[in-house]
Amino acid sequence: MASITGTVVLAIAGLSAAQLTGRGFPDCSQGPLKNNKVCDLSLDPLTRATALISAFTLDEKLNRVPRLGLPAYTWWQEALHGVAGSPGVNFSDHGPFSVATSFPQPILMGAAFDDQLIMDVATVVSTEARAFNNDDRAGLDFWTPNINPFKDPRWGRGQETPGEDPFHLSSYVHALILGLQGGLNPKYKRVIATCKHFAAYDMEDWNGNFRYQWDAHVNSQDLAEYYMPPFQSCARDSNVGSFMCSYNALNGVPTCADPYLLQTILREHWGWTNEEQYVTSDCDAIQNIYLPHKYRETREASVAAALNAGTDLDCGTVYQHHLPAALEQGLFNVSTLDQALVRMYSSLVRVGYFDGLRVPFRNLTAADVNTKASQDLAYKAAAEGITLLKNDGTLPMKITSDMTVLIVGGYADATTQMQGNYAGIAPYLHSPTWALNHTGAKVYTATGPGGQGNPTTDSWLAVWNWAPKADVIIYADGIDNSVEAEGNDRNSIAWTGAQLDMIGQLAEYGKPMVVLQMGGGQLDSSPIASNPNISALIWGGYPGQSGGEALIDTITGKNAPAGRLPVTQYPADYITQIPMTDMSLRPNATSGSPGRTYQWYTGTPIYDYGYGLHYTNFTASIQSPGDGFAISDLMSNCTEKYKDKCAFTTISVDVKNAGAVTSDYVTLGFLAGTHGPAPHPNKRLVAYTRLHSVTGGSSSTASLKMTLGGLGRVDETGSRWLYPGDYALMIDTQPLAMANFTLTGDAVCLDDWPQPPTPQRQDSDYFVGGYGSSYDGQVLVDGNVP
Ligand SMILES: O=[N+]([O-])c1ccc(O[C@@H]2O[C@@H](CO)[C@H](O)[C@H]2O)cc1
């Protein structure tokens, strides 16, 4: 992310600085706030926030110049995989608070398929965030996670997500939010998490289509089945504190101006209440409603459209500049502005912003940041996600002090590169070379530009000198943020010719050779898979501060790999078969689309979703849930408010480690069969759990919880139904076990999807005008939001 230096406005008319606590939160013990009910801990957050807002003058509501002893508050904090550089986060130059634990990128943490791990990571992140807040170095709301499904392998920001599958994302984000916020409904939220980017945002800049102006056309079936479930999990099932609407339009309406999304679906259908939770725009997305979306003819009409739709906070400056005139023009009611402010400030009440030192997290200090336990967890998160894609039996391989190792490539000595984007300042960044040096082996490293660059030609002679002497050759490269990034989608998913040339030449030495494929998006690794001289292929994502150790430990067997690909690895020509702008999931003979994701792709992947090898062999047997079920019986036992949440059954899977090496095993449960509307997906993930440290020769039981929603399929209107028909539950990508059953009786609707207004966008909504500037670089601070 580009760095942003917003002007910090600290305007406290009528108050002296002494009336602030000096620690970045308001002082309720004296000054004008003292007698405001916002300081009354016996009252509920809504009443408290309402009291505060009713003390604002109209001018203060519009221009947000605090008079009441409110310190400036910066709303924009990031914490994608650790407290991260962002306008509201201020790392110290040295000493305490100069670092924060830097976990792997979500795409690698997704590969762990371990929700408990995700909750533990998020708990560390929220602990460190509170400690930063106590030193006035961060606010209490964090604009994370990015939970848009990674639908297209070219997407530059897929690395920020846990992968391509909506069930996996929904489960992952539930665990993450519980860790960030401190449970489902805690007295004090640890921090406010933000699910973004709502919705159908998954393209940066492809073929002249930019994220700021792109209008995603998504039918109701794909919307409800694929793009929405992670957000439903955030809002309805995890009680997330905040949502961010996206840059793109959806079916003609910029999402930040779309009442169907922000009111009908988010607040009404998912029951996301009107208090303690707010919607922010993406940064400058409200400006983009005007230009380049041209959705309204004036900036006043654009800001009013956003506010009226339910965008409470502007990460930008157009609310501040244009709401006053919009109000004069009668384009919105003051009560709508009040509601936005109440939502924002009741959110802050909920994190204890007004409760001073009574909040338990106020005890956290720099000693709670970068602890030994959080360092161990960062290592564990990397180790659990690392995925073994090929192994001819060479691995695991001891690396001892009498050996010579040649490591080549852009990631050979990578440090910050291993963090990916939205990163903080890590306490250390251990590269693969660093880890190799700690084995005592003689190591020769040839680096070079990372990403799809080549090792510097300077070192090539030395590489050829060392290769014959090496006991093992490691090639560590792939892609990085010079190739996949915010604002930058890829136009190739192949290794470059130069990379393959280098790999091929190194392989010719016939040494044990390991390729580390790095980066968030996948590359077509078929040339590596098919080269008999390459012993092993490991996907390492962006593994964070302990990435080098975790990678080398995976080679040596100190870490037994058990990660699974959280995305499909497509052949390189996949991207010639479907434009990024095609949002449809199902294959389409007319357009020539081969389908998207493992659920619908009709081609042969290089490595399938969920693929991952071990250093041992696992077998599995499944306890049949029963042969047949009457839908009426299943429904009569279903008492949940949201029917899709009702339990179907818990399947016990007996997993046996039939080899010798102790290893984790990710138990993936996929469902297939002919039920519901054609076409039918290849299969779909409906449950997963990670078993830990299954020793050779022993067995462990995985419990797979299945819901009625998991059995359900989505019709063309977006409604989810339980259909009669044949079902097959399969364990693992190449099934190790299978159970077949049938459902009988009439189909029952589990979730009646709200239909969009038709048409969503009137021709008169468009206007023709010139293009203005986009992001203007000033945002964020109370005093200029909303
Ligand atoms: O102007 N900038 O420096 C700038 C930087 C990043 C940026 O991206 C947006 O800001 C993030 C806010 O959380 C969203 O995830 C992302 O879409 C938008 C603008």
Side-chain angles (χ1 to χ4, degrees):
M1 188 186 77
S3 73
I4 294 184
T5 45
T7 317
V8 177
V9 181
L10 186 60
I12 318 137
L15 282 176
S16 74
Q19 286 166 309
L20 299 177
T21 59
R23 294 183 58 184
F25 54 87
D27 188 354
C28 275
S29 68
Q30 55 182 325
L33 279 185
K34 187 180 170 198
N35 296 320
N36 188 294
K37 282 184 184 162
V38 76
C39 287
D40 184 345
L41 272 68
S42 70
L43 299 174
D44 63 89
L46 178 65
T47 308
R48 293 174 67 181
T50 306
L52 177 71
I53 303 313
S54 56
F56 282 16
T57 64
L58 178 61
D59 192 44
E60 285 166 349
K61 289 174 189 173
L62 288 166
N63 291 304
R64 313 299 317 290
V65 180
R67 168 185 53 93
L68 297 165
L70 285 174
Y73 181 80
T74 303
W75 291 88
W76 186 354
Q77 276 74 215
E78 300 284 351
L80 180 66
H81 47 120
V83 174
S86 44
V89 174
N90 172 21
F91 281 87
S92 155
D93 290 341
H94 57 273
F97 298 108
S98 55
V99 299
T101 309
S102 189
F103 293 98
Q105 276 290 47
I107 193 70
L108 191 70
M109 293 201 284
F113 286 91
D114 183 352
D115 289 352
Q116 184 60 53
L117 172 82
I118 301 311
M119 199 185 295
D120 293 346
V121 165
T123 303
V124 169
V125 173
S126 56
T127 300
E128 297 195 352
R130 288 294 317 207
F132 268 70
N133 174 260
N134 289 341
D135 204 50
D136 203 10
R137 294 185 169 278
L140 289 168
D141 66 309
F142 286 78
W143 290 350
T144 194
N146 178 345
I147 205 69
N148 298 109
F150 191 173
K151 172 204 74 189
D152 190 297
R154 288 162 280 197
W155 187 28
R157 300 186 72 180
Q159 59 180 301
E160 298 173 32
T161 78
E164 75 183 26
D165 181 77
F167 173 80
H168 177 212
L169 267 63
S170 302
S171 188
Y172 176 109
V173 78
H174 181 66
L176 186 96
I177 290 167
L178 263 48
L180 287 174
Q181 298 195 160
L184 251 192
N185 197 15
K187 176 167 163 33
Y188 287 115
K189 281 183 183 148
R190 297 169 73 89
V191 297
I192 299 163
T194 305
C195 286
K196 67 186 185 185
H197 312 79
F198 192 51
Y201 167 78
D202 56 15
M203 187 180 62
E204 303 299 303
D205 171 6
W206 182 80
N207 213 16
N209 297 286
F210 301 107
R211 61 179 183 163
Y212 305 111
Q213 100 343 311
W214 162 239
D215 178 13
H217 289 216
V218 184
N219 63 49
S220 290
Q221 188 174 39
D222 287 334
L223 191 66
E225 175 183 282
Y226 188 70
Y227 295 97
M228 287 292 173
F231 291 103
Q232 174 177 289
S233 174
C234 290
R236 192 191 75 177
D237 303 332
S238 314
N239 210 5
V240 75
S242 156
F243 255 60
M244 178 181 289
C245 49
S246 53
Y247 287 122
N248 58 287
L250 176 60
N251 297 327
V253 186
T255 62
C256 293
D258 190 351
Y260 171 63
L261 268 185
L262 301 182
Q263 185 62 30
T264 310
I265 294 176
L266 176 60
R267 293 198 182 268
E268 290 165 18
H269 192 59
W270 292 338
W272 206 57
T273 63
N274 276 318
E275 54 194 271
E276 301 173 29
Q277 25 216 27
Y278 71 86
V279 173
T280 180
S281 73
D282 202 338
C283 299
D284 244 12
I286 298 179
Q287 151 70 19
N288 298 153
I289 294 169
Y290 176 63
L291 288 172
H293 282 301
K294 302 182 186 176
Y295 183 65
R296 288 287 182 266
E297 284 198 22
T298 63
R299 286 194 164 84
E300 287 72 30
S302 300
V303 293
L307 188 69
N308 287 330
T311 304
D312 305 306
L313 175 67
D314 171 18
C315 179
T317 53
V318 287
Y319 268 5
Q320 185 192 15
H321 290 137
H322 300 287
L323 279 180
L327 185 63
E328 271 173 30
Q329 293 169 29
L331 299 177
F332 70 91
N333 295 324
V334 175
S335 60
T336 309
L337 181 61
D338 287 351
Q339 176 179 262
L341 291 165
V342 167
R343 287 169 176 170
M344 290 161 59
Y345 280 94
S346 59
S347 301
L348 288 184
V349 170
R350 204 67 159 69
V351 280
Y353 183 65
F354 294 93
D355 295 1
L357 298 172
R358 291 181 199 82
V359 185
F361 313 118
R362 292 275 175 224
N363 295 333
L364 296 168
T365 67
D368 299 291
V369 178
N370 181 30
T371 62
K372 172 73 172 63
S374 64
Q375 293 179 0
D376 291 348
L377 190 63
Y379 171 86
K380 182 182 178 199
E384 281 202 10
I386 288 170
T387 305
L388 181 64
L389 297 176
K390 172 184 178 179
N391 184 17
D392 66 2
T394 302
L395 300 187
M397 179 177 62
K398 284 201 162 29
I399 297 181
T400 50
S401 55
D402 56 346
M403 288 171 68
T404 298
V405 182
L406 169 63
I407 180 163
V408 182
Y411 273 88
D413 203 14
T415 54
T416 51
Q417 210 177 332
M418 288 194 306
Q419 292 179 285
N421 65 0
Y422 286 89
I425 301 173
Y428 47 78
L429 290 158
H430 290 161
S431 73
T433 292
W434 180 96
L436 283 171
N437 284 330
H438 279 71
T439 64
K442 191 171 197 175
V443 180
Y444 183 77
T445 305
T447 60
Q452 295 200 318
N454 306 304
T456 52
T457 47
D458 294 356
S459 53
W460 281 27
L461 280 180
V463 166
W464 309 136
N465 182 35
W466 276 74
K469 300 175 199 151
D471 295 299
V472 54
I473 297 174
I474 300 172
Y475 182 79
D477 214 311
I479 53 175
D480 66 12
N481 280 209
S482 64
V483 179
E484 57 171 349
E486 183 164 346
N488 194 25
D489 298 314
R490 288 190 286 163
N491 52 26
S492 164
I493 56 169
W495 292 81
T496 63
Q499 285 175 319
L500 290 176
D501 181 42
M502 176 61 103
I503 291 170
Q505 290 190 60
L506 289 170
E508 278 174 21
Y509 287 92
K511 305 281 181 152
M513 178 168 163
V514 180
V515 174
L516 301 178
Q517 179 200 318
M518 305 300 292
Q522 290 293 312
L523 289 162
D524 174 347
S525 284
S526 54
I528 296 162
S530 62
N531 187 327
N533 276 2
I534 297 175
S535 322
L537 171 66
I538 292 170
W539 174 64
Y542 293 100
Q545 67 185 38
S546 288
E549 282 148 290
L551 287 163
I552 300 305
D553 284 354
T554 304
I555 291 174
T556 62
K558 191 173 167 192
N559 172 49
R564 301 300 189 98
L565 280 187
V567 283
T568 305
Q569 187 181 111
Y570 296 98
D573 67 355
Y574 177 75
I575 61 172
T576 64
Q577 297 166 8
I578 184 165
M580 261 194 107
T581 45
D582 184 344
M583 302 296 283
S584 306
L585 275 293
R586 286 158 178 73
N588 184 314
T590 312
S591 71
S593 164
R596 293 188 173 282
T597 81
Y598 74 94
Q599 297 200 25
W600 296 105
Y601 180 49
T602 47
T604 306
I606 306 302
Y607 290 110
D608 205 355
Y609 177 87
Y611 188 83
L613 301 170
H614 306 91
Y615 289 156
T616 186
N617 294 318
F618 285 99
T619 59
S621 59
I622 194 168
Q623 195 186 63
S624 168
D627 293 338
F629 300 89
I631 289 175
S632 54
D633 289 347
L634 294 175
M635 294 309 295
S636 64
N637 294 329
C638 175
T639 54
E640 295 273 356
K641 177 177 176 198
Y642 299 108
K643 299 294 174 206
D644 58 290
K645 292 177 77 170
C646 281
F648 167 53
T649 188
T650 299
I651 309 254
S652 286
V653 185
D654 187 52
V655 175
K656 181 167 187 198
N657 183 342
V661 177
T662 300
S663 175
D664 289 6
Y665 176 78
V666 169
T667 316
L668 299 171
F670 293 100
L671 205 56
T674 44
H675 51 267
H680 302 108
N682 301 320
K683 60 182 177 183
R684 54 206 170 93
L685 189 70
V686 291
Y688 65 85
T689 191
R690 184 176 180 118
L691 298 173
H692 292 274
S693 300
V694 187
T695 52
S698 75
S699 294
S700 189
T701 303
S703 297
L704 296 183
K705 287 188 185 154
M706 292 175 64
T707 60
L708 295 187
L711 297 187
R713 297 261 334 274
V714 174
D715 70 11
E716 286 186 2
T717 72
S719 292
R720 187 174 290 266
W721 293 75
L722 199 53
Y723 289 103
D726 298 327
Y727 292 72
L729 178 70
M730 301 174 298
I731 304 304
D732 221 323
T733 47
Q734 296 294 318
L736 297 181
M738 196 186 281
N740 295 295
F741 56 93
T742 56
L743 259 56
T744 52
D746 292 336
V748 168
C749 186
L750 297 170
D751 181 20
D752 190 8
W753 187 248
Q755 296 308 295
T758 46
Q760 284 232 55
R761 182 172 179 160
Q762 311 282 349
D763 280 348
S764 60
D765 287 337
Y766 293 84
F767 81 95
V768 180
Y771 280 80
S773 67
S774 185
Y775 187 76
D776 61 10
Q778 305 170 45
V779 251
L780 331 169
V781 178
D782 212 5
N784 67 8
V785 282

